[in-house]
Amino acid sequence: MAEIRKVMVIGAGQMGSGIAQVAAEAGLQVVLNDIQDEFIQRGLAVIRKNLQRAVDKGRMGQEEMAAVLGRIETSCQLDAGSDADIAIEAATENMDIKLGIFRKLDELMKGDAILASNTSSLPITEIAAVTRRPEQVIGMHFMNPVPVMKLVEVIRGLATSDAVYTAVHELAEKMGKTAVEVNDFPGFVSNRVLLPMINEAIYCVYEGVATPEAIDEVMKLGMNHPMGPLTLADFIGLDTCLAIMEVLYEGFRDSKYRPCPLLRKYVKAGWLGKKSGRGFYVYNN
Ligand SMILES: CC(=O)CC(=O)SCCNC(=O)CCNC(=O)[C@H](O)C(C)(C)COP(=O)(O)OP(=O)(O)OC[C@H]1O[C@@H](n2cnc3c(N)ncnc32)[C@H](O)[C@@H]1OP(=O)(O)O
Ligand SMILES: NC(=O)C1=CN([C@@H]2O[C@H](COP(=O)(O)OP(=O)(O)OC[C@H]3O[C@@H](n4cnc5c(N)ncnc54)[C@H](OP(=O)(O)O)[C@@H]3O)[C@@H](O)[C@H]2O)C=CC1
């Protein structure tokens, strides 16, 4: 396959902005897309802040920072990235939204472009099936915060070709990450293991076993987790956590994956965690 030089990132939220940042730092041309310019500007502000911190710490020169930012073009129109070699979709965790985006990408992008999704849990095979190029569709699952976390889970859909897998594996390594190959099952590996633990921690709050602070303290001091599960849930976004639990529950039809009612209640209340200012904790963003 031809070398990947240009990337379109769809969704400028916490994941999309991080993916755009590490891609531009790796020397790739980037088009960052979202439905509203306001979200793109918010994503760019986070990228600038991260790069400025690297400059302040002497890890990056001012000129390099300007060059990285210069490689990021922005647009609210998907066709601005139609000549990119790969699209990495990081829009909201909702199947209808993702299917709509992949249908459009399939129409717009050049024939040999790879279409990747950063979905946390949704089936890659189902996303691929709405395109005319299912062998070029793949999961490229970065971890949050993208500039810091080393892993990219690379998910093969049923039809994903070996050449596309290899190209995406190499791209992840070029972006300074370690790629791990996983097959397409609900929640893949990362969230099949992580989210039931988070959901169980929420059940502990729901059932009055302990306060959120106490639960997080147990897991930090007792299990050496860098963040307690409720802080992590707030960090991921409670809407995303609920969406992942729903995919696990519906995908396996096993009651062990039922989302905690308290999680549903918080999401209905708009308590989405750090990004909305309130979840299990309160934040001054
Ligand atoms: C839901 C899914 O589909 C999959 C997922 O992503 S699940 C979530 C996976 N992520 C995790 O589990 C994260 C768990 N938490 C951690 O690893 C750590 O708490 C953390 C890396 C986020 C912060 O680390 P810390 O040591 O507690 O804090 P701190 O010292 O402030 O930060 C360490 C470094 O990370 C950087 N950093 C922290 N948060 C950051 C962010 N949001 N964006 C960019 N950089 C960040 C800091 O600038 C700092 O960099 P330097 O050392 O170069 O200065
Ligand atoms: N949060 C996490 O820890 C992780 C999340 N992921 C996955 O990454 C994806 C994004 O998550 P995250 O960044 O946290 O979510 P955010 O809510 O922070 O960002 C999603 C962004 O996508 C935008 N968006 C929605 N629909 C479209 C569309 N049709 N076209 C372009 N942009 C759109 C949203 O705009 P608006 O606000 O208007 O809806 C928002 O700006 C999800 O699939 C999630 O599961 C993967 C790994 C970790």
Side-chain angles (χ1 to χ4, degrees):
M1 290 200 84
E3 195 190 345
I4 294 175
R5 294 170 195 271
K6 185 166 181 180
V7 180
M8 171 152 69
V9 180
I10 298 126
Q14 45 183 353
M15 295 305 292
S17 62
I19 295 167
Q21 180 188 324
V22 293
E25 284 185 88
L28 297 154
Q29 289 297 325
V30 178
V31 179
L32 180 58
N33 165 277
D34 205 298
I35 37 185
Q36 278 188 55
D37 191 53
E38 183 194 337
F39 301 118
I40 294 179
Q41 294 312 323
R42 209 165 49 196
L44 272 180
V46 173
I47 295 174
R48 271 195 210 97
K49 197 172 115 202
N50 287 341
L51 296 177
Q52 190 58 53
R53 198 169 46 225
V55 170
D56 294 344
K57 293 201 163 187
R59 282 197 308 260
M60 183 182 276
Q62 200 72 53
E63 278 177 15
E64 195 187 342
M65 174 174 164
V68 171
L69 287 171
R71 283 194 284 273
I72 305 177
E73 183 191 328
T74 62
S75 177
C76 295
Q77 308 303 323
L78 276 180
D79 51 13
S82 58
D83 61 342
D85 305 302
I86 184 170
I88 305 177
E89 170 277 319
T92 311
E93 187 74 347
N94 173 296
M95 194 51 144
D96 290 339
I97 291 177
K98 293 198 191 283
L99 294 183
I101 291 171
F102 273 76
R103 280 194 192 98
K104 282 192 207 142
L105 289 176
D106 192 34
E107 290 289 322
L108 289 170
M109 306 259 319
K110 59 184 183 179
D112 60 352
I114 297 173
L115 310 184
S117 177
N118 181 55
T119 176
S120 293
S121 60
L122 294 164
I124 300 302
T125 305
E126 201 176 320
I127 295 173
V130 301
T131 74
R132 287 160 305 177
R133 53 177 108 184
E135 67 291 344
Q136 285 157 244
V137 177
I138 192 162
M140 191 175 188
H141 184 207
F142 290 81
M143 302 293 126
N144 188 12
V146 179
V148 180
M149 304 300 282
K150 280 285 168 202
L151 175 71
V152 174
E153 211 178 18
V154 182
I155 303 113
R156 277 181 185 263
L158 203 56
T160 310
S161 73
D162 289 344
V164 166
Y165 175 81
T166 303
V168 168
H169 186 110
E170 284 172 6
L171 176 65
E173 307 266 325
K174 186 171 181 182
M175 290 164 83
K177 307 297 178 193
T178 300
V180 176
E181 181 181 346
V182 168
N183 281 322
D184 189 20
F185 283 92
F188 318 127
V189 171
S190 53
N191 287 322
R192 184 167 176 177
V193 176
L194 177 67
L195 259 293
M197 182 198 69
I198 288 177
N199 195 47
E200 205 56 35
I202 300 172
Y203 266 107
C204 287
V205 181
Y206 181 61
E207 292 171 5
V209 180
T211 62
E213 290 81 358
I215 293 162
D216 278 351
E217 207 66 347
V218 166
M219 297 306 286
K220 275 199 304 180
L221 301 182
M223 283 76 193
N224 238 359
H225 289 195
M227 278 175 171
L230 299 164
T231 304
L232 184 56
D234 275 359
F235 182 59
I236 292 169
L238 300 186
D239 52 341
T240 302
C241 290
L242 178 59
I244 297 168
M245 286 311 297
E246 300 279 23
V247 168
L248 291 172
Y249 189 43
E250 281 162 26
F252 292 114
R253 314 253 159 165
D254 185 331
S255 64
K256 76 178 174 185
Y257 298 113
R258 74 221 174 285
C260 178
L262 190 63
L263 175 59
R264 282 190 199 286
K265 195 174 194 171
Y266 276 27
V267 172
K268 284 211 173 104
W271 295 10
L272 305 184
K274 192 165 185 295
K275 67 183 170 188
S276 75
R278 180 159 197 174
F280 290 96
Y281 301 96
V282 175
Y283 303 85
N284 300 310
N285 290 327

PDB file of all heavy atoms in Angstrom, residues 34-64:
ATOM      1  N   ASP A  34     -15.193  18.559  12.346  1.00  0.00           N
ATOM      2  CA  ASP A  34     -16.287  18.359  13.311  1.00  0.00           C
ATOM      3  C   ASP A  34     -17.517  19.020  12.694  1.00  0.00           C
ATOM      4  O   ASP A  34     -17.410  19.719  11.675  1.00  0.00           O
ATOM      5  CB  ASP A  34     -15.953  18.975  14.680  1.00  0.00           C
ATOM      6  CG  ASP A  34     -16.725  18.307  15.825  1.00  0.00           C
ATOM      7  OD1 ASP A  34     -17.975  18.383  15.813  1.00  0.00           O
ATOM      8  OD2 ASP A  34     -16.123  17.729  16.733  1.00  0.00           O
ATOM      9  N   ILE A  35     -18.683  18.822  13.325  1.00  0.00           N
ATOM     10  CA  ILE A  35     -19.876  19.390  12.706  1.00  0.00           C
ATOM     11  C   ILE A  35     -19.987  20.893  12.926  1.00  0.00           C
ATOM     12  O   ILE A  35     -20.639  21.581  12.181  1.00  0.00           O
ATOM     13  CB  ILE A  35     -21.174  18.656  13.160  1.00  0.00           C
ATOM     14  CG1 ILE A  35     -21.084  18.251  14.617  1.00  0.00           C
ATOM     15  CG2 ILE A  35     -21.479  17.496  12.259  1.00  0.00           C
ATOM     16  CD1 ILE A  35     -22.251  17.430  15.109  1.00  0.00           C
ATOM     17  N   GLN A  36     -19.348  21.407  13.977  1.00  0.00           N
ATOM     18  CA  GLN A  36     -19.396  22.853  14.229  1.00  0.00           C
ATOM     19  C   GLN A  36     -17.991  23.386  14.490  1.00  0.00           C
ATOM     20  O   GLN A  36     -17.221  22.733  15.211  1.00  0.00           O
ATOM     21  CB  GLN A  36     -20.221  23.129  15.481  1.00  0.00           C
ATOM     22  CG  GLN A  36     -21.711  23.136  15.243  1.00  0.00           C
ATOM     23  CD  GLN A  36     -22.442  23.610  16.486  1.00  0.00           C
ATOM     24  OE1 GLN A  36     -22.167  24.682  17.003  1.00  0.00           O
ATOM     25  NE2 GLN A  36     -23.348  22.791  16.983  1.00  0.00           N
ATOM     26  N   ASP A  37     -17.724  24.599  13.952  1.00  0.00           N
ATOM     27  CA  ASP A  37     -16.394  25.182  14.114  1.00  0.00           C
ATOM     28  C   ASP A  37     -16.048  25.385  15.590  1.00  0.00           C
ATOM     29  O   ASP A  37     -14.883  25.261  15.991  1.00  0.00           O
ATOM     30  CB  ASP A  37     -16.302  26.509  13.354  1.00  0.00           C
ATOM     31  CG  ASP A  37     -14.862  26.985  13.278  1.00  0.00           C
ATOM     32  OD1 ASP A  37     -14.016  26.196  12.831  1.00  0.00           O
ATOM     33  OD2 ASP A  37     -14.586  28.121  13.715  1.00  0.00           O
ATOM     34  N   GLU A  38     -17.070  25.648  16.404  1.00  0.00           N
ATOM     35  CA  GLU A  38     -16.858  25.853  17.849  1.00  0.00           C
ATOM     36  C   GLU A  38     -16.128  24.652  18.484  1.00  0.00           C
ATOM     37  O   GLU A  38     -15.219  24.808  19.291  1.00  0.00           O
ATOM     38  CB  GLU A  38     -18.246  26.025  18.475  1.00  0.00           C
ATOM     39  CG  GLU A  38     -18.272  26.312  19.941  1.00  0.00           C
ATOM     40  CD  GLU A  38     -19.699  26.105  20.497  1.00  0.00           C
ATOM     41  OE1 GLU A  38     -20.690  26.178  19.735  1.00  0.00           O
ATOM     42  OE2 GLU A  38     -19.784  25.842  21.707  1.00  0.00           O
ATOM     43  N   PHE A  39     -16.519  23.438  18.057  1.00  0.00           N
ATOM     44  CA  PHE A  39     -15.889  22.234  18.620  1.00  0.00           C
ATOM     45  C   PHE A  39     -14.459  22.086  18.117  1.00  0.00           C
ATOM     46  O   PHE A  39     -13.569  21.651  18.839  1.00  0.00           O
ATOM     47  CB  PHE A  39     -16.712  20.988  18.302  1.00  0.00           C
ATOM     48  CG  PHE A  39     -18.114  21.068  18.842  1.00  0.00           C
ATOM     49  CD1 PHE A  39     -19.200  21.038  17.985  1.00  0.00           C
ATOM     50  CD2 PHE A  39     -18.353  21.214  20.200  1.00  0.00           C
ATOM     51  CE1 PHE A  39     -20.495  21.144  18.470  1.00  0.00           C
ATOM     52  CE2 PHE A  39     -19.653  21.324  20.692  1.00  0.00           C
ATOM     53  CZ  PHE A  39     -20.724  21.285  19.830  1.00  0.00           C
ATOM     54  N   ILE A  40     -14.258  22.476  16.845  1.00  0.00           N
ATOM     55  CA  ILE A  40     -12.905  22.399  16.283  1.00  0.00           C
ATOM     56  C   ILE A  40     -11.995  23.364  17.044  1.00  0.00           C
ATOM     57  O   ILE A  40     -10.872  23.013  17.417  1.00  0.00           O
ATOM     58  CB  ILE A  40     -12.916  22.752  14.772  1.00  0.00           C
ATOM     59  CG1 ILE A  40     -13.702  21.689  13.995  1.00  0.00           C
ATOM     60  CG2 ILE A  40     -11.501  22.867  14.243  1.00  0.00           C
ATOM     61  CD1 ILE A  40     -13.805  21.951  12.503  1.00  0.00           C
ATOM     62  N   GLN A  41     -12.497  24.581  17.306  1.00  0.00           N
ATOM     63  CA  GLN A  41     -11.671  25.573  18.007  1.00  0.00           C
ATOM     64  C   GLN A  41     -11.340  25.093  19.420  1.00  0.00           C
ATOM     65  O   GLN A  41     -10.232  25.296  19.914  1.00  0.00           O
ATOM     66  CB  GLN A  41     -12.381  26.945  18.053  1.00  0.00           C
ATOM     67  CG  GLN A  41     -12.547  27.586  16.683  1.00  0.00           C
ATOM     68  CD  GLN A  41     -11.258  27.572  15.848  1.00  0.00           C
ATOM     69  OE1 GLN A  41     -10.155  27.745  16.362  1.00  0.00           O
ATOM     70  NE2 GLN A  41     -11.392  27.319  14.556  1.00  0.00           N
ATOM     71  N   ARG A  42     -12.307  24.424  20.067  1.00  0.00           N
ATOM     72  CA  ARG A  42     -12.058  23.888  21.412  1.00  0.00           C
ATOM     73  C   ARG A  42     -10.977  22.796  21.356  1.00  0.00           C
ATOM     74  O   ARG A  42     -10.077  22.756  22.171  1.00  0.00           O
ATOM     75  CB  ARG A  42     -13.370  23.317  21.969  1.00  0.00           C
ATOM     76  CG  ARG A  42     -13.471  23.383  23.469  1.00  0.00           C
ATOM     77  CD  ARG A  42     -14.875  23.165  23.962  1.00  0.00           C
ATOM     78  NE  ARG A  42     -15.507  21.991  23.359  1.00  0.00           N
ATOM     79  CZ  ARG A  42     -16.827  21.755  23.384  1.00  0.00           C
ATOM     80  NH1 ARG A  42     -17.629  22.613  23.963  1.00  0.00           N
ATOM     81  NH2 ARG A  42     -17.326  20.680  22.839  1.00  0.00           N
ATOM     82  N   GLY A  43     -11.064  21.935  20.334  1.00  0.00           N
ATOM     83  CA  GLY A  43     -10.056  20.874  20.161  1.00  0.00           C
ATOM     84  C   GLY A  43      -8.686  21.464  19.892  1.00  0.00           C
ATOM     85  O   GLY A  43      -7.678  21.033  20.468  1.00  0.00           O
ATOM     86  N   LEU A  44      -8.634  22.497  19.030  1.00  0.00           N
ATOM     87  CA  LEU A  44      -7.348  23.138  18.706  1.00  0.00           C
ATOM     88  C   LEU A  44      -6.733  23.789  19.944  1.00  0.00           C
ATOM     89  O   LEU A  44      -5.512  23.767  20.133  1.00  0.00           O
ATOM     90  CB  LEU A  44      -7.551  24.212  17.636  1.00  0.00           C
ATOM     91  CG  LEU A  44      -7.477  23.774  16.177  1.00  0.00           C
ATOM     92  CD1 LEU A  44      -7.697  24.992  15.284  1.00  0.00           C
ATOM     93  CD2 LEU A  44      -6.155  23.099  15.835  1.00  0.00           C
ATOM     94  N   ALA A  45      -7.601  24.366  20.789  1.00  0.00           N
ATOM     95  CA  ALA A  45      -7.100  25.022  22.016  1.00  0.00           C
ATOM     96  C   ALA A  45      -6.426  23.989  22.923  1.00  0.00           C
ATOM     97  O   ALA A  45      -5.369  24.267  23.520  1.00  0.00           O
ATOM     98  CB  ALA A  45      -8.252  25.722  22.737  1.00  0.00           C
ATOM     99  N   VAL A  46      -6.996  22.791  23.001  1.00  0.00           N
ATOM    100  CA  VAL A  46      -6.386  21.731  23.824  1.00  0.00           C
ATOM    101  C   VAL A  46      -5.031  21.328  23.223  1.00  0.00           C
ATOM    102  O   VAL A  46      -4.037  21.156  23.941  1.00  0.00           O
ATOM    103  CB  VAL A  46      -7.333  20.501  23.923  1.00  0.00           C
ATOM    104  CG1 VAL A  46      -6.647  19.339  24.625  1.00  0.00           C
ATOM    105  CG2 VAL A  46      -8.635  20.873  24.637  1.00  0.00           C
ATOM    106  N   ILE A  47      -4.989  21.208  21.897  1.00  0.00           N
ATOM    107  CA  ILE A  47      -3.726  20.829  21.228  1.00  0.00           C
ATOM    108  C   ILE A  47      -2.652  21.893  21.513  1.00  0.00           C
ATOM    109  O   ILE A  47      -1.519  21.575  21.897  1.00  0.00           O
ATOM    110  CB  ILE A  47      -3.931  20.667  19.700  1.00  0.00           C
ATOM    111  CG1 ILE A  47      -4.887  19.496  19.424  1.00  0.00           C
ATOM    112  CG2 ILE A  47      -2.602  20.466  18.987  1.00  0.00           C
ATOM    113  CD1 ILE A  47      -5.279  19.338  17.959  1.00  0.00           C
ATOM    114  N   ARG A  48      -3.033  23.161  21.364  1.00  0.00           N
ATOM    115  CA  ARG A  48      -2.079  24.254  21.617  1.00  0.00           C
ATOM    116  C   ARG A  48      -1.557  24.187  23.042  1.00  0.00           C
ATOM    117  O   ARG A  48      -0.361  24.339  23.292  1.00  0.00           O
ATOM    118  CB  ARG A  48      -2.751  25.612  21.401  1.00  0.00           C
ATOM    119  CG  ARG A  48      -2.638  26.089  19.999  1.00  0.00           C
ATOM    120  CD  ARG A  48      -2.958  27.578  19.833  1.00  0.00           C
ATOM    121  NE  ARG A  48      -3.509  27.743  18.501  1.00  0.00           N
ATOM    122  CZ  ARG A  48      -4.802  27.782  18.219  1.00  0.00           C
ATOM    123  NH1 ARG A  48      -5.694  27.733  19.188  1.00  0.00           N
ATOM    124  NH2 ARG A  48      -5.209  27.903  16.984  1.00  0.00           N
ATOM    125  N   LYS A  49      -2.469  23.944  23.988  1.00  0.00           N
ATOM    126  CA  LYS A  49      -2.081  23.889  25.411  1.00  0.00           C
ATOM    127  C   LYS A  49      -1.088  22.734  25.647  1.00  0.00           C
ATOM    128  O   LYS A  49      -0.060  22.917  26.301  1.00  0.00           O
ATOM    129  CB  LYS A  49      -3.348  23.690  26.264  1.00  0.00           C
ATOM    130  CG  LYS A  49      -3.158  24.023  27.727  1.00  0.00           C
ATOM    131  CD  LYS A  49      -4.475  23.988  28.471  1.00  0.00           C
ATOM    132  CE  LYS A  49      -4.425  22.860  29.477  1.00  0.00           C
ATOM    133  NZ  LYS A  49      -5.705  22.353  29.907  1.00  0.00           N
ATOM    134  N   ASN A  50      -1.369  21.588  25.057  1.00  0.00           N
ATOM    135  CA  ASN A  50      -0.474  20.431  25.225  1.00  0.00           C
ATOM    136  C   ASN A  50       0.903  20.702  24.635  1.00  0.00           C
ATOM    137  O   ASN A  50       1.933  20.388  25.232  1.00  0.00           O
ATOM    138  CB  ASN A  50      -1.068  19.180  24.555  1.00  0.00           C
ATOM    139  CG  ASN A  50      -2.242  18.619  25.324  1.00  0.00           C
ATOM    140  OD1 ASN A  50      -2.421  18.908  26.507  1.00  0.00           O
ATOM    141  ND2 ASN A  50      -3.051  17.805  24.661  1.00  0.00           N
ATOM    142  N   LEU A  51       0.913  21.310  23.417  1.00  0.00           N
ATOM    143  CA  LEU A  51       2.196  21.584  22.761  1.00  0.00           C
ATOM    144  C   LEU A  51       2.974  22.648  23.535  1.00  0.00           C
ATOM    145  O   LEU A  51       4.197  22.554  23.696  1.00  0.00           O
ATOM    146  CB  LEU A  51       1.977  22.033  21.313  1.00  0.00           C
ATOM    147  CG  LEU A  51       1.344  20.998  20.367  1.00  0.00           C
ATOM    148  CD1 LEU A  51       1.114  21.613  18.980  1.00  0.00           C
ATOM    149  CD2 LEU A  51       2.215  19.750  20.238  1.00  0.00           C
ATOM    150  N   GLN A  52       2.250  23.661  24.031  1.00  0.00           N
ATOM    151  CA  GLN A  52       2.913  24.727  24.792  1.00  0.00           C
ATOM    152  C   GLN A  52       3.571  24.161  26.051  1.00  0.00           C
ATOM    153  O   GLN A  52       4.672  24.568  26.427  1.00  0.00           O
ATOM    154  CB  GLN A  52       1.894  25.817  25.164  1.00  0.00           C
ATOM    155  CG  GLN A  52       2.522  27.078  25.753  1.00  0.00           C
ATOM    156  CD  GLN A  52       3.548  27.731  24.811  1.00  0.00           C
ATOM    157  OE1 GLN A  52       3.253  28.002  23.654  1.00  0.00           O
ATOM    158  NE2 GLN A  52       4.779  27.944  25.296  1.00  0.00           N
ATOM    159  N   ARG A  53       2.896  23.169  26.671  1.00  0.00           N
ATOM    160  CA  ARG A  53       3.476  22.537  27.855  1.00  0.00           C
ATOM    161  C   ARG A  53       4.792  21.823  27.491  1.00  0.00           C
ATOM    162  O   ARG A  53       5.767  21.901  28.217  1.00  0.00           O
ATOM    163  CB  ARG A  53       2.481  21.537  28.461  1.00  0.00           C
ATOM    164  CG  ARG A  53       2.797  21.161  29.891  1.00  0.00           C
ATOM    165  CD  ARG A  53       1.684  20.396  30.560  1.00  0.00           C
ATOM    166  NE  ARG A  53       1.145  19.337  29.718  1.00  0.00           N
ATOM    167  CZ  ARG A  53      -0.144  19.086  29.531  1.00  0.00           C
ATOM    168  NH1 ARG A  53      -1.052  19.826  30.118  1.00  0.00           N
ATOM    169  NH2 ARG A  53      -0.536  18.100  28.761  1.00  0.00           N
ATOM    170  N   ALA A  54       4.802  21.191  26.309  1.00  0.00           N
ATOM    171  CA  ALA A  54       6.029  20.523  25.852  1.00  0.00           C
ATOM    172  C   ALA A  54       7.134  21.552  25.604  1.00  0.00           C
ATOM    173  O   ALA A  54       8.310  21.312  25.923  1.00  0.00           O
ATOM    174  CB  ALA A  54       5.744  19.714  24.597  1.00  0.00           C
ATOM    175  N   VAL A  55       6.759  22.719  25.063  1.00  0.00           N
ATOM    176  CA  VAL A  55       7.746  23.787  24.831  1.00  0.00           C
ATOM    177  C   VAL A  55       8.274  24.300  26.167  1.00  0.00           C
ATOM    178  O   VAL A  55       9.486  24.416  26.378  1.00  0.00           O
ATOM    179  CB  VAL A  55       7.112  24.947  24.005  1.00  0.00           C
ATOM    180  CG1 VAL A  55       8.041  26.162  23.965  1.00  0.00           C
ATOM    181  CG2 VAL A  55       6.780  24.480  22.604  1.00  0.00           C
ATOM    182  N   ASP A  56       7.352  24.557  27.104  1.00  0.00           N
ATOM    183  CA  ASP A  56       7.746  25.088  28.418  1.00  0.00           C
ATOM    184  C   ASP A  56       8.687  24.133  29.149  1.00  0.00           C
ATOM    185  O   ASP A  56       9.558  24.549  29.896  1.00  0.00           O
ATOM    186  CB  ASP A  56       6.508  25.346  29.295  1.00  0.00           C
ATOM    187  CG  ASP A  56       5.644  26.469  28.720  1.00  0.00           C
ATOM    188  OD1 ASP A  56       6.160  27.212  27.853  1.00  0.00           O
ATOM    189  OD2 ASP A  56       4.466  26.578  29.117  1.00  0.00           O
ATOM    190  N   LYS A  57       8.493  22.829  28.895  1.00  0.00           N
ATOM    191  CA  LYS A  57       9.340  21.837  29.565  1.00  0.00           C
ATOM    192  C   LYS A  57      10.623  21.557  28.781  1.00  0.00           C
ATOM    193  O   LYS A  57      11.390  20.662  29.142  1.00  0.00           O
ATOM    194  CB  LYS A  57       8.562  20.539  29.761  1.00  0.00           C
ATOM    195  CG  LYS A  57       7.419  20.696  30.757  1.00  0.00           C
ATOM    196  CD  LYS A  57       6.992  19.374  31.312  1.00  0.00           C
ATOM    197  CE  LYS A  57       6.179  19.611  32.573  1.00  0.00           C
ATOM    198  NZ  LYS A  57       5.845  18.387  33.272  1.00  0.00           N
ATOM    199  N   GLY A  58      10.814  22.277  27.668  1.00  0.00           N
ATOM    200  CA  GLY A  58      12.050  22.143  26.896  1.00  0.00           C
ATOM    201  C   GLY A  58      12.092  20.890  26.029  1.00  0.00           C
ATOM    202  O   GLY A  58      13.141  20.511  25.510  1.00  0.00           O
ATOM    203  N   ARG A  59      10.928  20.242  25.843  1.00  0.00           N
ATOM    204  CA  ARG A  59      10.920  19.022  25.024  1.00  0.00           C
ATOM    205  C   ARG A  59      10.641  19.328  23.554  1.00  0.00           C
ATOM    206  O   ARG A  59      10.806  18.480  22.693  1.00  0.00           O
ATOM    207  CB  ARG A  59       9.835  18.053  25.530  1.00  0.00           C
ATOM    208  CG  ARG A  59      10.221  17.283  26.769  1.00  0.00           C
ATOM    209  CD  ARG A  59       9.314  16.090  26.932  1.00  0.00           C
ATOM    210  NE  ARG A  59       7.929  16.492  26.871  1.00  0.00           N
ATOM    211  CZ  ARG A  59       7.144  16.665  27.942  1.00  0.00           C
ATOM    212  NH1 ARG A  59       7.618  16.439  29.137  1.00  0.00           N
ATOM    213  NH2 ARG A  59       5.898  17.032  27.807  1.00  0.00           N
ATOM    214  N   MET A  60      10.217  20.556  23.293  1.00  0.00           N
ATOM    215  CA  MET A  60       9.884  20.938  21.911  1.00  0.00           C
ATOM    216  C   MET A  60      10.257  22.406  21.715  1.00  0.00           C
ATOM    217  O   MET A  60      10.079  23.210  22.637  1.00  0.00           O
ATOM    218  CB  MET A  60       8.370  20.738  21.693  1.00  0.00           C
ATOM    219  CG  MET A  60       7.897  21.028  20.302  1.00  0.00           C
ATOM    220  SD  MET A  60       6.106  20.828  20.117  1.00  0.00           S
ATOM    221  CE  MET A  60       5.977  19.093  19.828  1.00  0.00           C
ATOM    222  N   GLY A  61      10.793  22.725  20.545  1.00  0.00           N
ATOM    223  CA  GLY A  61      11.126  24.126  20.264  1.00  0.00           C
ATOM    224  C   GLY A  61       9.882  24.876  19.794  1.00  0.00           C
ATOM    225  O   GLY A  61       8.925  24.254  19.312  1.00  0.00           O
ATOM    226  N   GLN A  62       9.943  26.224  19.914  1.00  0.00           N
ATOM    227  CA  GLN A  62       8.811  27.056  19.464  1.00  0.00           C
ATOM    228  C   GLN A  62       8.547  26.863  17.971  1.00  0.00           C
ATOM    229  O   GLN A  62       7.402  26.802  17.536  1.00  0.00           O
ATOM    230  CB  GLN A  62       9.152  28.523  19.773  1.00  0.00           C
ATOM    231  CG  GLN A  62       7.958  29.445  19.831  1.00  0.00           C
ATOM    232  CD  GLN A  62       7.086  29.237  21.075  1.00  0.00           C
ATOM    233  OE1 GLN A  62       7.593  29.260  22.187  1.00  0.00           O
ATOM    234  NE2 GLN A  62       5.799  29.017  20.858  1.00  0.00           N
ATOM    235  N   GLU A  63       9.660  26.717  17.202  1.00  0.00           N
ATOM    236  CA  GLU A  63       9.491  26.546  15.745  1.00  0.00           C
ATOM    237  C   GLU A  63       8.805  25.226  15.421  1.00  0.00           C
ATOM    238  O   GLU A  63       7.967  25.136  14.524  1.00  0.00           O
ATOM    239  CB  GLU A  63      10.851  26.574  15.049  1.00  0.00           C
ATOM    240  CG  GLU A  63      11.346  27.964  14.817  1.00  0.00           C
ATOM    241  CD  GLU A  63      12.721  27.991  14.183  1.00  0.00           C
ATOM    242  OE1 GLU A  63      13.177  26.950  13.671  1.00  0.00           O
ATOM    243  OE2 GLU A  63      13.331  29.074  14.224  1.00  0.00           O
ATOM    244  N   GLU A  64       9.196  24.199  16.176  1.00  0.00           N
ATOM    245  CA  GLU A  64       8.588  22.881  15.941  1.00  0.00           C
ATOM    246  C   GLU A  64       7.097  22.925  16.265  1.00  0.00           C
ATOM    247  O   GLU A  64       6.270  22.362  15.545  1.00  0.00           O
ATOM    248  CB  GLU A  64       9.298  21.825  16.791  1.00  0.00           C
ATOM    249  CG  GLU A  64       8.983  20.409  16.346  1.00  0.00           C
ATOM    250  CD  GLU A  64       9.540  19.350  17.284  1.00  0.00           C
ATOM    251  OE1 GLU A  64      10.446  19.662  18.085  1.00  0.00           O
ATOM    252  OE2 GLU A  64       9.018  18.212  17.229  1.00  0.00           O
TER     253      GLU A  64
END
